[in-house]
């Protein structure tokens, strides 16, 4: 079974019906946002292979992985079938504002033999708070193309960082691949693209904190 890029785009657009970040809350604040990777854990993101950067307009931030790939079949090891990554980010934002994640765009590349499947799954949370429910997306082979999925959060379900508190932001992701009917063929799914330009994008929702 082949899923075209157009079909994937359709899936991304229908993953949720929440309003955009700009409609959900206040405009982005002026000033600088700084972000740093504090800790990296997991088989999918060795030290030095993940980077974060806020956008210049304070509407989003990107996570870039340079060596995050799960594979099965061929000469793959059993441990190659599932890769995961847990990032803890220090996020410093302008005073008087708080943020939530309104949506997240997950992107990569997959090469799946006939009968193989690839799973992308993710969740995130502010330090000391419950994590979001993991949302997963599956691609079925035969497939060889870039992929993209968008997870959106309803306005009423946005999880805001407590005002006036410094809390790290944690991201958990997972890739999982099962082999196809011909196990001699290698199938893989990656948080990357053929040209290395793919980034995962998290879109902010902003809200002014009450005056103290």
């Amino acid at each position: 079974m082949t899923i075209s890029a157009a079909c994937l785009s359709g899936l991304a657009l229908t993953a949720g019906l929440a309003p955009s970040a700009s409609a959900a809350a206040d405009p982005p604040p002026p000033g600088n946002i700084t972000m740093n990777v504090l800790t990296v854990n997991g088989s999918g993101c060795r030290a030095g292979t993940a980077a974060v950067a806020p956008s210049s307009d304070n509407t989003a931030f990107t996570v870039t992985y340079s060596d995050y790939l799960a594979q099965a079949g061929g000469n793959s090891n059993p441990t190659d079938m599932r890769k995961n990554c847990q990032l803890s980010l220090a996020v410093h934002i302008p005073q008087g504002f708080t943020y939530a994640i309104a949506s997240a765009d997950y992107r990569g590349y997959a090469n799946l033999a006939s009968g193989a499947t690839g799973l992308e799954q993710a969740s995130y949370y502010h330090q000391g708070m419950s994590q979001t429910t993991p949302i997963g997306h599956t691609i079925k082979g035969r497939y060889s193309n870039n992929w993209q999925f968008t997870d959106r959060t309803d306005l009423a379900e946005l999880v805001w960082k407590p005002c006036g508190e410094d809390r790290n932001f944690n991201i958990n992701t997972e890739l999982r691949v099962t082999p196809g009917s011909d196990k001699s063929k290698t199938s893989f799914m990656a948080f990357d693209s053929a040209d290395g330009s793919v980034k995962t994008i998290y879109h902010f929702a902003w809200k002014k904190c009450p005056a103290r």
Side-chain angles (χ1 to χ4, degrees):
M1 176 180 179
T2 300
I3 302 180
S4 67
C7 288
L8 286 177
S9 298
L11 287 171
L13 291 173
T14 57
L17 300 176
S20 65
S22 60
D26 294 321
N32 294 326
I33 297 174
T34 61
M35 306 186 73
N36 297 291
V37 178
L38 295 179
T39 59
V40 178
N41 293 295
S43 55
C45 55
R46 295 176 293 105
T49 64
V52 298
S55 64
S56 59
D57 60 3
N58 291 349
T59 62
F61 70 91
T62 60
V63 179
T64 305
Y65 302 100
S66 60
D67 188 20
Y68 194 162
L69 179 147
Q71 65 180 36
N75 295 322
S76 304
N77 295 318
T79 55
D80 295 335
M81 295 177 62
R82 178 185 178 274
K83 298 293 182 178
N84 73 300
C85 180
Q86 300 178 16
L87 297 179
S88 180
L89 311 178
V91 183
H92 300 288
I93 63 174
Q95 289 186 348
F97 288 85
T98 185
Y99 72 91
I101 301 301
S103 64
D105 302 325
Y106 299 98
R107 303 175 182 179
Y109 184 83
N111 188 353
L112 303 172
S114 179
T117 61
L119 168 72
E120 174 271 323
Q121 184 167 269
S123 62
Y124 46 84
Y125 61 99
H126 300 288
Q127 179 185 9
M129 303 175 71
S130 298
Q131 72 174 13
T132 58
T133 301
I135 298 176
H137 304 278
T138 300
I139 303 174
K140 296 182 179 180
R142 179 176 298 138
Y143 182 86
S144 183
N145 207 336
N146 291 329
W147 54 265
Q148 174 179 338
F149 296 110
T150 296
D151 298 338
R152 302 184 189 277
T153 303
D154 291 333
L155 174 60
E157 297 178 355
L158 290 177
V159 180
W160 301 93
K161 182 188 74 69
C163 284
E165 297 184 14
D166 285 331
R167 298 206 181 190
N168 298 336
F169 185 70
N170 301 291
I171 299 172
N172 296 323
T173 55
E174 176 184 348
L175 294 176
R176 187 177 301 179
V177 174
T178 58
S181 51
D182 184 352
K183 292 182 173 53
S184 67
K185 295 183 178 180
T186 302
S187 296
F188 69 85
M189 187 174 185
F191 273 117
D192 200 351
S193 66
D195 60 6
S197 63
V198 165
K199 299 176 178 10
T200 296
I201 305 175
Y202 293 87
H203 299 273
F204 286 121
W206 290 100
K207 188 167 64 174
K208 292 181 179 179
C209 291
R212 294 191 174 184

